[in-house]
Amino acid sequence: MNAPETVSHEQAAGLLPWLVNDSLVDKEKETVLEHAQSCVICRRDLDDLEQLRDSIMSASSLKLIPAADMRNVNARIDALIDRQNRGPLLIARLREAFESPWRIAFVAQSVLLVVLAGLLLWPRPRDAEYTTLTQSQYLPPGIYVRVVFSPELTQFELIELLGSLELTIVDGPSNRGVYTLGVAKRMSVEDRDKLIMDLQEDPKVLFAQPVNRGATQ
Amino acid sequence: MPNSIAGKGATEADELALLARVRRGDREAFCELYQRYQPRLYGYLRRQLSDPGTVEEVLDDVMLVVWKDARKFRGDAAVSSWIFGIAYRKAMTAMRTERRYQAPLDRSANADAVAAVSSQHDEWIPVALMHLSPDHRQVVELTYFSGFSYQEIAEIVGCPVNTVKTRMFHARRRLRVLLPALAGQAKEQDRERA
Ligand SMILES: [Zn+2]
């Protein structure tokens, strides 16, 4: 804020709490102090606020703060890095595989076999993806997220991911592998969008999209 | 916690450098940032949340977001405002969850219980703060426990600076009524016991 040379009582009074915690910029501080010298109400307020600050600070010093323990956060970062590294590792292996013509032939043959086996064994989806949408009509009002996870996601990772984002499975997986996840708390639209972004950033999440059922907020 | 503006500049440059290293995946820089913020974040979160286990969990959640989102930091706010902004949002979510699993706070009963313990003015502050709405309480906490300026609080909480000032005004007005009431209640109980 560009503090004017003089301030009104209202302006000065509004800034007093931050004069007391010493966070006003010099110019603001000067003008507020100058006003307080000639204003009985502000001087009395200043005394009150100093007492409040001292009480709060002495109350806060009673709290014991435990030593920093980074084991949990480090483990979570390790898991995150591990997940992120598995993608490039696969690419590196493929690149390695394509270095010799024999390998190319071998890989091409393997891919063909996998595709053929897949075509034969892939279960025909009885219903299309809209099954989940239809079912979601029966869900109580709230914010839900439709998610498709990478097949690489282990059950443990799924539990960990759902736990960390406070999500629960309310429906699915559908024939196309779509899960409908419930949000375990009331959520603003911003929080929901942030959640979707978090999910989309996860390398093990192939697809994430919000589904709103009725009034939320 | 009074802040020196000059000291703040040096700390800010330091923390920007640390965050830039975190963005590049430097675990050592992350460890340093964690060590720096752990006491402040713990103190801040502990005053919002009643369960110490939840406080540690939320603190780790906050720092994990710092690790993941370091590259999203654009420098529009100070590093501390950015980190406390994450902590503020996590704390508000955890508070809502805590409130859902706890019996609703009976404000008068709670005041009675604490009044019986002590009539020291300083010890009234945490009780009185509990009687404020979360929005008002946050502004007082961030000002006097954490030492933030009103502009920084606006960045942390994500509201206009005038809203911060208005919330502080209402919080103070409520505290002015609450503190003498709580202290008076305690004195009366002391007298009855004597
Ligand atoms: Zn005045």
Side-chain angles (χ1 to χ4, degrees):
Chain A
M1 173 191 141
N2 286 328
E5 291 303 314
T6 54
V7 282
S8 68
H9 167 75
E10 280 71 27
Q11 284 174 306
L15 292 174
L16 289 176
W18 293 280
L19 176 72
V20 167
N21 88 342
D22 200 16
S23 67
L24 293 184
V25 296
D26 289 343
K27 204 175 175 193
E28 277 178 323
K29 195 171 161 178
E30 236 171 71
T31 48
V32 173
L33 277 173
E34 201 180 297
H35 167 85
Q37 273 174 348
S38 60
C39 177
V40 189
I41 305 170
C42 280
R43 272 209 308 279
R44 195 196 56 208
D45 264 12
L46 209 51
D47 288 343
D48 280 355
L49 280 164
E50 277 167 359
Q51 201 194 341
L52 178 69
R53 175 203 60 198
D54 294 344
S55 301
I56 285 181
M57 284 171 79
S58 76
S60 72
S61 66
L62 299 173
K63 291 259 188 303
L64 274 176
I65 292 174
D69 180 356
M70 291 186 65
R71 279 175 300 183
N72 176 33
V73 77
N74 274 336
R76 288 168 73 184
I77 291 175
D78 287 342
L80 204 70
I81 292 173
D82 193 39
R83 264 187 267 164
Q84 283 163 348
N85 282 348
R86 264 180 249 167
L89 195 72
L90 184 71
I91 294 166
R93 282 200 185 142
L94 280 172
R95 198 172 289 152
E96 202 179 279
F98 281 101
E99 267 168 7
S100 90
W102 288 110
R103 277 186 177 169
I104 293 174
F106 177 72
V107 170
Q109 187 191 337
S110 307
V111 168
L112 192 66
L113 279 172
V114 169
V115 169
L116 284 173
L119 284 174
L120 286 171
L121 300 174
W122 190 264
R124 295 271 152 251
R126 279 175 295 132
D127 303 298
E129 203 177 299
Y130 55 73
T131 310
T132 306
L133 269 177
T134 317
Q135 285 165 349
S136 76
Q137 285 170 359
Y138 300 106
L139 296 170
I143 290 177
Y144 298 90
V145 188
R146 300 201 309 142
V147 177
V148 178
F149 296 107
S150 151
E152 278 173 37
L153 187 82
T154 64
Q155 201 172 355
F156 174 74
E157 284 170 333
L158 175 66
I159 293 167
E160 196 193 43
L161 182 69
L162 296 179
S164 70
L165 297 172
E166 293 181 65
L167 295 167
T168 45
I169 298 173
V170 292
D171 191 16
S174 72
N175 292 327
R176 298 228 177 149
V178 182
Y179 283 86
T180 305
L181 306 177
V183 175
K185 60 202 169 198
R186 284 160 71 91
M187 206 175 237
S188 66
V189 175
E190 290 80 8
D191 282 346
R192 183 202 66 191
D193 293 345
K194 175 81 179 46
L195 171 74
I196 297 291
M197 261 173 60
D198 283 347
L199 281 167
Q200 286 170 344
E201 269 179 23
D202 196 302
K204 293 265 170 95
V205 173
L206 302 179
F207 167 86
Q209 181 196 295
V211 181
N212 273 5
R213 293 279 312 125
T216 53
Q217 292 299 305
Chain B
M1 237 166 283
N3 294 311
S4 123
I5 301 294
K8 258 189 166 179
T11 313
E12 183 58 19
D14 235 27
E15 291 183 351
L16 276 172
L18 277 177
L19 201 63
R21 284 170 58 200
V22 171
R23 203 175 312 163
R24 294 193 293 270
D26 184 333
R27 296 287 285 267
E28 225 173 90
F30 177 74
C31 179
E32 198 176 328
L33 204 62
Y34 189 103
Q35 306 277 356
R36 271 188 195 207
Y37 274 89
Q38 186 262 352
R40 286 177 77 189
L41 286 175
Y42 188 92
Y44 168 70
L45 294 168
R46 185 69 185 89
R47 284 185 295 274
Q48 328 283 324
L49 304 164
S50 54
D51 173 37
T54 308
V55 172
E56 288 185 25
E57 249 172 60
V58 174
L59 198 153
D60 283 347
D61 286 350
V62 172
M63 290 311 290
L64 194 69
V65 174
V66 170
W67 170 265
K68 285 203 287 191
D69 289 359
R71 70 198 145 83
K72 289 185 196 159
F73 177 75
R74 295 275 171 267
D76 309 331
V79 175
S80 59
S81 306
W82 181 65
I83 295 178
F84 267 80
I86 300 167
Y88 165 78
R89 289 186 290 277
K90 293 272 180 198
M92 291 299 255
T93 308
M95 270 160 79
R96 281 194 289 267
T97 312
E98 261 195 354
R99 249 178 289 152
R100 221 173 334 120
Y101 292 107
Q102 279 169 355
L105 179 72
D106 178 346
R107 289 169 184 235
S108 59
N110 193 293
D112 285 348
V114 185
V117 177
S118 161
S119 59
Q120 285 284 304
H121 184 74
D122 290 353
E123 286 170 43
W124 289 113
I125 294 292
V127 186
L129 289 176
M130 271 167 58
H131 286 64
L132 299 180
S133 75
D135 284 341
H136 293 171
R137 189 167 127 198
Q138 289 282 355
V139 172
V140 178
E141 299 263 5
L142 290 166
T143 302
Y144 292 118
F145 283 110
S146 307
F148 285 108
S149 69
Y150 63 88
Q151 296 96 330
E152 287 169 325
I153 297 172
E155 281 160 2
I156 292 168
V157 173
C159 71
V161 285
N162 278 335
T163 308
V164 174
K165 291 179 189 170
T166 312
R167 285 179 185 172
M168 177 60 99
F169 172 80
H170 289 296
R172 284 179 57 205
R173 199 167 61 174
R174 180 122 175 85
L175 285 174
R176 263 200 294 271
V177 177
L178 274 169
L179 284 166
L182 290 169
Q185 218 170 18
K187 261 186 213 150
E188 216 161 275
Q189 285 180 0
D190 283 349
R191 235 178 287 132
E192 275 168 23
R193 249 179 271 127

